[in-house]
Amino acid sequence: MNGPFSRLRCIGCGRDYPLGEIRHECDACSGLLEVAHDFDRLKNERDGADWRRLFDSRMDGTAGPHRSGVWRYHELVLPDLPAGQIVSMPEGNTNLYRSKQLEEISRTRDVRIKHEGENPTLSFKDRGMTAGVSWAHHVGAREVACASTGDTSAAMAAYAARVEGMRGVVVLPKGKVSMEQLSQPIASGCLTISLPADFDVCIRLLRDVCRRLSICLLNSVNPVRIEGQKSIAYETAQQLDWDPPDWMVVPVGNAGNISAIGKGFSDLRTLGIIDRLPKLLGAQAEAAAPLARAHGEGYREHVRVKAKDTVATAIRIGDPVSYDKAVGAVRASGGAFISSSEQEIMDAKAMVDRTGVYVCPNSATAVAGFLKAREQGIIAPGERVVIVATAHGCKFSQATIDYHGGRLTGVSPRFANRVVEVAADIDAIERLLVSGAVAPPLGKDGE
Ligand code: F0G
């Protein structure tokens, strides 16, 4: 008889544990854990072409859990989870937009934006959370918790609310999440706790509380979250007809997502579904860039910083929990980490927003990182690039309004589209319209 497909394994010392146990670090060395599937069994079930056919057959008109852009790949996400235990909204199936504008500005052959802001709670976190909450539900957890810069908490709150009798607890850094993000766990009925501290302190405290009270922690240090998050890689590859891009550009905060994307592509190659791995570019804001600094210093030592204020509040993290996994994934791919200034981030955001693809400042950090990597020759003109936009612009309205209104400290908006106030009078409106007033064109400085 076959045992479970998956176990937990420490990425430091290799010790392993059953997946059924709720555990967030190795008992022996406190290292990060990962879910390890039995790939020999998966390979025996199907070859690469068979896996591709299976996933393609689920793309159209599929009912049930396979409609989700996470559970379409159920066998590679959590093979031991019975389909009946899945808690799905359904998430994923986000668009991959070709960006002619970015191709022209950066003189690059093929640039696309994977808009994860199109998920049910408007961020990529829904992919990891459907896995995290489903597994918590499966193992009988009644209480789930996370610390968050705003998006993890929104996702956890929504998924926990879908499970009868499951209580959610979120811990947020006071004044450091957007109003829209704050509204989400409140609306979903979570116990919403605000601490006068930054994210790095919030998560440290919550990890201890969860250990003491045996609460299921659903931050990305929980390896089951990473399994759902990997589906960004699967879905991107599938949307490109299983021909992966040369680069995946990802904004990095706590570093779970970039680790997951690296793991996802690596799974696909192990199973013969794709034949090469993209390089990973991790993008940070200068205000919170421990990994970009570590990259610049040749990864000589583990870098921790005190995060400063940034428009990219969701990645305002100085001590990323998944640091070791992210460094491993980026180095194995031949990629890099890079950082951008507030000005670069917000100008990049305005450029992408102008094309109708409305992204958040964190996503714009990836766009700015991409433009810089092109300038520095890290990315070559003939390469194919996918930039992951992690959340929707509507979650961060204030940053957009402040930029266009010229009210962001330290940023002079190159592409400002100011609100024009005129009298409530037909002639005044007509005069304005016939004057030919339009938003300033891209590529030139605004007024
Ligand atoms: N983009 C957005 C919109 C995010 O919310 C986050 C992380 C990231 C990028 C970075 O992803 O942490 O996996 O490297 N937000 C977490 C949260 C920290 O609590 O919502 P990461």
Side-chain angles (χ1 to χ4, degrees):
M1 211 191 84
N2 282 327
F5 259 98
S6 319
R7 294 186 58 82
L8 289 175
R9 185 173 56 205
C10 172
I11 68 161
C13 70
R15 184 164 165 184
D16 77 352
Y17 306 88
L19 180 55
E21 293 177 19
I22 294 179
R23 188 182 290 277
H24 312 118
E25 62 189 27
C26 178
D27 283 351
C29 74
S30 305
L32 291 171
L33 299 175
E34 66 177 0
V35 175
H37 298 326
D38 182 344
F39 273 98
D40 289 337
R41 257 164 85 186
L42 292 171
K43 277 194 229 168
N44 281 340
E45 277 186 9
R46 287 184 175 81
D47 66 13
D50 277 345
W51 282 114
R52 287 196 296 267
R53 265 194 296 278
L54 176 72
F55 298 140
D56 286 344
S57 75
R58 294 173 178 169
M59 277 304 256
D60 303 310
T62 315
H66 294 150
R67 251 181 71 212
S68 152
V70 175
W71 300 107
R72 178 156 72 245
Y73 315 100
H74 187 165
E75 294 85 346
L76 312 190
V77 172
L78 289 174
D80 296 317
L81 180 73
Q85 301 284 302
I86 290 175
V87 184
S88 172
M89 308 259 312
E91 47 294 308
N93 294 314
T94 57
N95 284 300
L96 187 61
Y97 295 100
R98 185 96 189 240
S99 180
K100 292 279 171 207
Q101 204 106 35
L102 285 179
E103 287 170 7
E104 273 164 34
I105 290 167
S106 66
R107 279 180 252 99
T108 311
R109 174 161 73 111
D110 189 322
V111 181
R112 292 166 205 246
I113 297 179
K114 176 82 173 141
H115 200 347
E116 288 292 303
E118 295 174 347
N119 271 292
T121 75
L122 307 184
S123 91
F124 72 110
K125 301 286 185 185
D126 294 337
R127 290 180 183 269
M129 211 47 87
T130 182
V133 169
S134 298
W135 193 255
H137 176 48
H138 175 56
V139 300
R142 307 301 294 161
E143 193 156 37
V144 291
C146 69
S148 180
T149 56
D151 290 323
T152 300
S153 43
M156 193 197 79
Y159 282 84
R162 308 290 298 159
V163 182
E164 219 185 297
M166 184 177 274
R167 184 164 101 125
V169 180
V170 305
V171 176
L172 306 174
K174 186 167 183 211
K176 303 288 185 213
V177 307
S178 76
M179 192 175 58
E180 297 87 348
Q181 290 173 314
L182 175 62
S183 75
Q184 291 180 291
I186 296 173
S188 306
C190 259
L191 174 61
T192 305
I193 303 170
S194 175
L195 298 186
D198 67 11
F199 171 83
D200 295 302
V201 171
C202 290
I203 188 155
R204 216 176 312 129
L205 291 173
L206 184 67
R207 279 177 85 162
D208 288 344
V209 171
C210 286
R211 222 175 275 127
R212 279 199 208 175
L213 301 180
S214 296
I215 295 173
C216 178
L217 180 68
L218 280 183
N219 278 98
S220 56
V221 66
N222 182 328
V224 171
R225 284 265 320 279
I226 302 288
E227 293 309 290
Q229 209 55 62
K230 291 187 311 188
S231 61
I232 295 184
Y234 302 159
E235 194 172 276
T236 302
Q238 187 169 20
Q239 285 169 317
L240 295 172
D241 249 339
W242 307 108
D243 182 15
D246 298 298
W247 285 92
M248 287 290 282
V249 187
V250 188
V252 174
N254 221 10
N257 197 29
I258 195 162
S259 311
I261 290 173
K263 192 168 191 247
F265 280 111
S266 158
D267 291 352
L268 295 181
R269 193 175 62 169
T270 304
L271 293 170
I273 298 172
I274 58 172
D275 55 15
R276 65 195 163 76
L277 299 178
K279 287 166 275 190
L280 302 175
L281 180 66
Q284 300 201 288
E286 281 171 6
L291 286 155
R293 204 176 99 195
H295 179 76
E297 294 171 356
Y299 302 103
R300 274 199 313 277
E301 57 189 47
H302 190 123
V303 178
R304 293 177 178 87
V305 302
K306 174 96 186 126
K308 301 198 198 76
D309 278 338
T310 166
V311 280
T313 51
I315 52 173
R316 188 184 185 280
I317 296 175
D319 186 11
V321 166
S322 295
Y323 186 104
D324 293 337
K325 284 185 180 174
V327 167
V330 167
R331 296 188 79 178
S333 79
F337 289 97
I338 203 162
S339 65
S340 301
S341 68
E342 301 293 289
Q343 179 80 50
E344 290 163 338
I345 293 169
M346 287 310 286
D347 285 338
K349 172 170 151 53
M351 275 190 239
V352 173
D353 289 350
R354 187 73 73 82
T355 67
V357 177
Y358 187 20
V359 301
C360 73
N362 316 287
S363 311
T365 306
V367 179
F370 156 69
L371 292 171
K372 190 172 277 188
R374 271 294 293 118
E375 257 170 53
Q376 296 180 355
I378 297 171
I379 297 179
E383 293 191 297
R384 293 163 58 233
V385 179
V386 170
I387 301 169
V388 181
T390 42
H392 202 281
C394 281
K395 279 193 149 196
F396 296 82
S397 317
Q398 198 65 54
T400 307
I401 291 170
D402 286 348
Y403 173 86
H404 289 284
R407 283 187 301 274
L408 266 186
T409 331
V411 173
S412 54
R414 282 176 68 203
F415 308 121
N417 181 21
R418 295 217 163 80
V419 176
V420 184
E421 289 192 26
V422 291
D425 171 283
I426 195 164
D427 292 333
I429 300 170
E430 189 178 322
R431 263 198 310 280
L432 178 70
L433 295 188
V434 298
S435 77
V438 286
L442 293 179
K444 289 200 191 133
D445 286 351
E447 81 277 328

